[in-house]
Amino acid sequence: MFNLVHESIWVASHMTFTKHFALSGNIGDIVAKDDAQMSTAHLLGMLTGVGVIALSHEPIYLFGAFTLLTPINIWSTIKMLHAAEFEVLNQAKLTLLSRTFIDTGKAVDYKELKPREIGFGEWIKPGTQGTIRLKLGSSAEKSFNSVGTMQVLLHDDIESPNVIQSILHATKFHDTLEKDNIHKETNWSGYLTALDDSLIWTKQNISNFEKSLNDKGWQSETVYWNDGGVRLSWEGHPSLNQVEQNNPL
């Protein structure tokens, strides 16, 4: 069972790694080299295993070797993953990069961002200053009732550039509310004004933000985020205007 779980995870992650390193579109060349290296590693592993077993067949020896080698294997795998640098944008990275851009007017690269992350870059380190609680793909009802978390509504034709803009907008909107001490329960008009002002600022600065991301080597074509799974449609969206132009009748 565990082997099947490993295979399912390995196939998905292997394809992601391959696409990441195929900067010139040379996927076939990378796959061939990867398979050759993996076959060599498996062969060396089998030879090492045979050599260890040949020394003794005593249960205490075999269990001792397993107990010693397993932590070394896990440690080596973790170190390998930490050594790999993937400039792929996810929700945590975009939240931190948005914060940095709002504060300094520029983004930072992978190495500068890493101290503020935990795990493999999937989470923000607890206590990091200026970060916000963010939920993408929420329903309208949950958004209106939410307290303390920035709820982002996603249109049904959402794409990666829209996610980048929405996270930058949510961060700026949060800053405006905090700065002016605005609460929607007591100052709804001020809340809407802050929403409009932060949107205007976002539209004025999104191109500079995207350029700064590209200059620092971030791959902005694809973005991964923790999705609530809800998509909405609303009046005035550019996609509806495009449909009306294409179908005037």
Side-chain angles (χ1 to χ4, degrees), residues 1-9:
M1 182 183 69
F2 289 110
N3 187 53
L4 293 175
V5 173
H6 159 263
E7 289 293 336
S8 64
I9 297 175

Side-chain angles (χ1 to χ4, degrees), residues 4-143:
L4 293 175
V5 173
H6 159 263
E7 289 293 336
S8 64
I9 297 175
W10 180 85
V11 170
S13 59
H14 181 258
M15 288 303 299
T16 301
F17 294 160
T18 300
K19 291 180 180 179
H20 176 81
F21 288 111
L23 300 179
S24 303
N26 55 334
I27 295 180
D29 182 43
I30 292 178
V31 169
K33 292 180 179 178
D34 177 66
D35 288 344
Q37 294 174 358
M38 188 163 51
S39 298
T40 302
H42 285 168
L43 179 60
L44 292 175
M46 287 188 291
L47 292 175
T48 302
V50 171
V52 171
I53 294 176
L55 296 177
S56 175
H57 291 80
E58 294 294 328
I60 189 171
Y61 167 79
L62 296 176
F63 279 107
F66 177 80
T67 303
L68 177 64
L69 294 176
T70 298
I72 294 177
N73 178 47
I74 296 175
W75 177 83
S76 301
T77 303
I78 293 175
K79 294 296 290 185
M80 178 186 66
L81 291 174
H82 277 296
E85 297 182 0
F86 299 101
E87 291 81 4
V88 177
L89 293 172
N90 57 28
Q91 182 173 325
K93 286 182 169 61
L94 268 176
T95 302
L96 293 172
L97 289 167
S98 297
R99 164 56 53 213
T100 303
F101 179 80
I102 291 173
D103 292 343
T104 66
K106 60 182 180 179
V108 295
D109 59 21
Y110 180 89
K111 292 183 179 179
E112 293 177 278
L113 196 68
K114 196 170 184 178
R116 290 183 278 170
E117 301 173 324
I118 58 175
F120 300 107
E122 298 296 325
W123 300 280
I124 299 174
K125 181 179 293 184
T128 300
Q129 186 176 6
T131 57
I132 65 173
R133 296 176 60 187
L134 192 63
K135 182 62 179 178
L136 278 70
S138 299
S139 65
E141 180 182 5
K142 181 179 292 185
S143 176

Side-chain angles (χ1 to χ4, degrees), residues 124-183:
I124 299 174
K125 181 179 293 184
T128 300
Q129 186 176 6
T131 57
I132 65 173
R133 296 176 60 187
L134 192 63
K135 182 62 179 178
L136 278 70
S138 299
S139 65
E141 180 182 5
K142 181 179 292 185
S143 176
F144 285 123
N145 296 329
S146 175
V147 177
T149 300
M150 302 302 296
Q151 305 281 344
V152 179
L153 310 182
L154 300 181
H155 198 264
D156 52 16
D157 63 349
I158 190 75
E159 295 180 352
S160 294
N162 307 123
V163 176
I164 295 175
Q165 178 172 319
S166 66
I167 293 180
L168 180 64
H169 180 203
T171 306
K172 182 63 178 179
F173 181 38
H174 176 271
D175 286 359
T176 304
L177 296 177
E178 289 289 319
K179 178 182 177 181
D180 298 335
N181 194 27
I182 298 174
H183 303 278

Side-chain angles (χ1 to χ4, degrees), residues 153-158 231-240:
L153 310 182
L154 300 181
H155 198 264
D156 52 16
D157 63 349
I158 190 75
R231 297 293 183 270
L232 305 175
S233 180
W234 54 81
E235 294 183 0
H237 192 271
S239 63
L240 294 180

